Amino acid sequence: MKVDVAIIGAGPSGLTAAIEMIENGLTVAVIDEYYRPGGRLLGQHYEDPKAAPDQRVWNGKNIADQLEKKARGLGVHIFTNVTAWSVSEKWKIHLSHPKINMIVSKVLLLATGSAEKALPIPGWTLPGGISIGAAQTFTNLHRVAVGEKVLIAGIDPLSLSVMIEMKNAGIDVAGMVLPPISPASGNHHTPVQTVARLKDVAGLAPNSFIRTFGKYALAWFPRLIAHALRFNFLKVNGVPIHLRKSIVRIEGSEQVEAVILQSVSADGKPVGQAERMEVDAVCLSAGLYPLVDLAETTGCTLVDIPELGGVIPLHGPDMTTTINGLFVAGNITGIEGAKVAIAQGQLAAVSILKSLGKNGSITVQEAKMEMEKARIQSPLRFLPNIDEGRTKLNKLWEKEGVI
Amino acid sequence: MNDMIICRCEGVCLSEVLDAVEDGANSVPGIKKRVRVGMGYCQGRVCQPIVRDILESKLGNGTKPHLQRAQNPVRPVILGDIVR
């Protein structure tokens, strides 16, 4: 199959880009390894207090369905359940598809998104141990309860939103605790560090309690440390958030039966006796990292920017990379929310249109401004220093990125 | 704690990863060559970030340890798809 643009990843940025490009005269194919389009949108279901009153509920699955319907209606070729296992010379995309084994395109847009970081603790591979992202998909997309009584390890914007989603679905969430302080789970999970990261979740909350808490944490942060986190027993939506307890291990012979928890001081040192809590599922949350494997095989320059979530393709403000005809959009450029991904898809699309001598529905400059707006309007930020990360990236691009 | 699984695909435990660091490994490929982390079905998508965190904290010199290079095919693929 021959198209003007091949897009890898049918998430919010990939689908948005496809629609913009086909509406302005390009032929487009989108490939995704999941069985249906939508990417991480499919699992999202929460209330967005920053949105207009009639748009408060963010139902990712509906948004994914609308994008898919629009794209298909316009004639975008969407391949699902298909793996793009290799890309070569501008551009041949090799597919695991029974009939179409290759797509040839002028431009390649990588919108491959992100992958979850694992959180290894003893017992994490027992059945009933599940990543937070998988728990979100089970809850909101497949409507399957991950357990009767669930503990969440890892207190961060994503795990808090999934906890609220699970509670809304009627699942008994027994509590949220910190990961262990160990080299294997990264040495950045002390109570103080956790609270510092949580201030960004303040806007998300569908109830006023956490909103109040977030503002409190922001305004009173120095004093909070001084008082060594007296909030050891904060409750959100009826779920205890143990900011000073960390998980030690998961126990069970055939599957998850219990967790061992340990109280810790504000800087993460063990205090007092460990305790046992019976649960049948543990959700593990350690954050996301950009999925760059396909990008790496193209030979484009990669840069490691921890503020953006890890290694990403070096790219400019218009989503161009160091390789001509290769563009990026969405979480492959840094971990942010779906609204930013949609705006990045739009931006990449108008950049690609421009590179092929066509006009988009808006200019590149307007699309950049839309992206900045989306960033400000995002209900939650996954990474606290994303702005510094973007600044760092832009400096690197100015220095090394010129093709 | 030292016998916790790190690489699920190849069944590699934390103690083996720590032994590899002891043996002089200072990059993810260095550990991979010694104990096969990241050589299984997922090609390191699950364990590579963990292995890197372990290395970073063990080496403790503030530099980010080298990651492995992604290779084609980037996903498991049946031979029939490659040769046709």
Side-chain angles (χ1 to χ4, degrees):
Chain A
M1 175 182 273
K2 262 193 176 173
V3 289
D4 293 319
V5 185
I7 303 174
I8 318 252
S13 64
L15 289 176
T16 305
I19 291 167
E20 169 71 23
M21 291 191 285
I22 201 161
E23 279 182 334
N24 290 287
L26 299 180
T27 53
V28 185
V30 188
I31 303 128
D32 199 290
E33 55 188 344
Y34 203 51
Y35 76 94
R36 60 187 283 180
R40 290 308 308 161
L41 275 176
L42 295 170
Q44 295 168 3
H45 195 276
Y46 54 81
E47 201 177 317
D48 175 2
K50 285 191 189 174
D54 58 330
Q55 295 165 5
R56 286 267 157 90
V57 176
W58 179 264
N59 185 335
K61 197 158 81 174
N62 285 355
I63 295 162
D65 288 347
Q66 286 160 16
L67 287 172
E68 179 192 358
K69 206 174 152 202
K70 190 168 182 194
R72 283 196 199 276
L74 289 164
V76 174
H77 304 280
I78 300 181
F79 297 91
T80 51
N81 245 332
V82 170
T83 302
W85 52 268
S86 167
V87 294
S88 55
E89 45 190 302
K90 298 172 190 174
W91 294 104
K92 288 176 179 165
I93 297 102
H94 302 268
L95 306 181
S96 61
H97 186 282
K99 293 198 189 80
I100 298 161
N101 65 349
M102 196 196 288
I103 290 177
V104 178
S105 70
K106 293 178 198 155
V107 169
L108 176 62
L109 171 59
L110 291 176
T112 49
S114 52
E116 271 189 272
K117 273 189 185 167
L119 182 60
I121 53 176
W124 70 295
T125 53
L126 280 167
I130 183 170
S131 76
I132 196 75
Q136 188 181 40
T137 302
F138 273 123
T139 307
N140 294 330
L141 179 62
H142 303 302
R143 309 279 186 219
V144 172
V146 295
E148 300 263 308
K149 193 177 174 194
V150 181
L151 181 96
I152 298 175
I155 304 173
D156 54 62
L158 179 62
S159 68
L160 273 163
S161 65
V162 176
M163 179 276 284
I164 290 162
E165 291 162 0
M166 288 204 274
K167 281 295 282 184
N168 289 344
I171 297 168
D172 179 8
V173 183
M176 297 182 69
V177 298
L178 302 174
I181 309 288
S182 91
S185 51
N187 288 318
H188 41 67
H189 298 297
T190 69
V192 167
Q193 289 164 327
T194 302
V195 172
R197 281 193 295 269
L198 275 186
K199 63 176 195 276
D200 280 317
V201 85
L204 162 79
N207 77 28
S208 58
F209 199 133
I210 186 176
R211 232 172 281 167
T212 315
F213 163 69
K215 281 188 194 131
Y216 187 91
L218 189 62
W220 295 66
F221 188 54
R223 223 170 120 185
L224 207 59
I225 298 170
H227 286 264
L229 293 131
R230 282 184 298 167
F231 287 137
N232 191 21
F233 203 77
L234 173 77
K235 267 194 178 185
V236 177
N237 280 24
V239 173
I241 312 296
H242 300 283
L243 284 166
R244 284 190 44 200
K245 250 178 218 177
S246 73
I247 189 167
V248 178
R249 62 177 182 274
I250 303 171
E251 291 186 340
S253 49
E254 303 279 308
Q255 59 183 58
V256 174
E257 289 167 16
V259 288
I260 304 298
L261 306 177
Q262 170 72 58
S263 289
V264 292
S265 64
D267 59 351
K269 303 274 186 301
V271 180
Q273 295 280 310
E275 60 184 289
R276 189 172 190 273
M277 181 194 272
E278 286 191 8
V279 294
D280 65 347
V282 180
C283 302
L284 301 161
S285 181
L288 305 164
Y289 71 95
L291 197 52
V292 297
D293 43 12
L294 216 41
E296 186 169 20
T297 64
T298 67
C300 72
T301 304
L302 300 177
V303 288
D304 189 352
I305 303 181
E307 293 88 347
L308 297 179
V311 175
I312 56 165
L314 180 59
H315 61 278
D318 57 354
M319 313 315 263
T320 49
T321 66
T322 54
I323 289 186
N324 224 326
L326 180 70
F327 293 73
V328 287
N331 267 2
I332 190 177
T333 73
I335 307 303
E336 295 188 77
K339 284 188 177 167
V340 175
I342 287 172
Q344 285 179 322
Q346 174 87 3
L347 173 56
V350 295
S351 279
I352 292 168
L353 284 159
K354 195 179 163 200
S355 78
L356 296 175
K358 289 188 180 286
N359 287 323
S361 62
I362 54 176
T363 65
V364 172
Q365 198 51 40
E366 283 163 347
K368 276 184 206 164
M369 278 158 61
E370 286 298 316
M371 192 180 68
E372 290 309 323
K373 220 162 80 188
R375 202 161 270 153
I376 293 162
Q377 286 172 350
S378 281
L380 72 163
R381 300 205 309 174
F382 294 97
L383 297 168
N385 302 318
I386 199 95
D387 298 328
E388 283 127 76
R390 295 278 168 214
T391 307
K392 233 187 205 183
L393 174 72
N394 288 340
K395 279 193 186 134
L396 281 171
W397 175 258
E398 279 162 28
K399 219 168 75 186
E400 301 172 29
V402 186
I403 304 170
Chain B
M1 184 77 183
N2 275 10
D3 59 358
M4 151 173 98
I5 286 179
I6 294 297
C7 169
R8 301 179 76 149
C9 303
E10 292 287 322
V12 183
C13 291
L14 177 61
S15 58
E16 296 170 75
V17 174
L18 294 174
D19 286 349
V21 179
E22 205 60 30
D23 190 45
N26 61 5
S27 65
V28 175
I31 294 181
K32 176 176 170 176
K33 282 166 190 159
R34 286 169 174 85
V35 296
R36 294 191 59 84
V37 293
M39 294 183 82
Y41 190 86
C42 87
Q43 290 289 294
R45 258 211 282 183
V46 177
C47 69
Q48 174 157 257
I50 317 171
V51 171
R52 197 189 201 196
D53 277 348
I54 297 170
L55 254 178
E56 201 178 340
S57 76
K58 285 287 153 193
L59 298 175
N61 56 11
T63 56
K64 288 271 176 193
H66 281 289
L67 295 168
Q68 64 184 29
R69 276 191 67 84
Q71 307 280 355
N72 283 323
V74 297
R75 294 287 179 280
V77 57
I78 52 175
L79 278 172
D81 282 344
I82 297 181
V83 296
R84 73 186 166 162

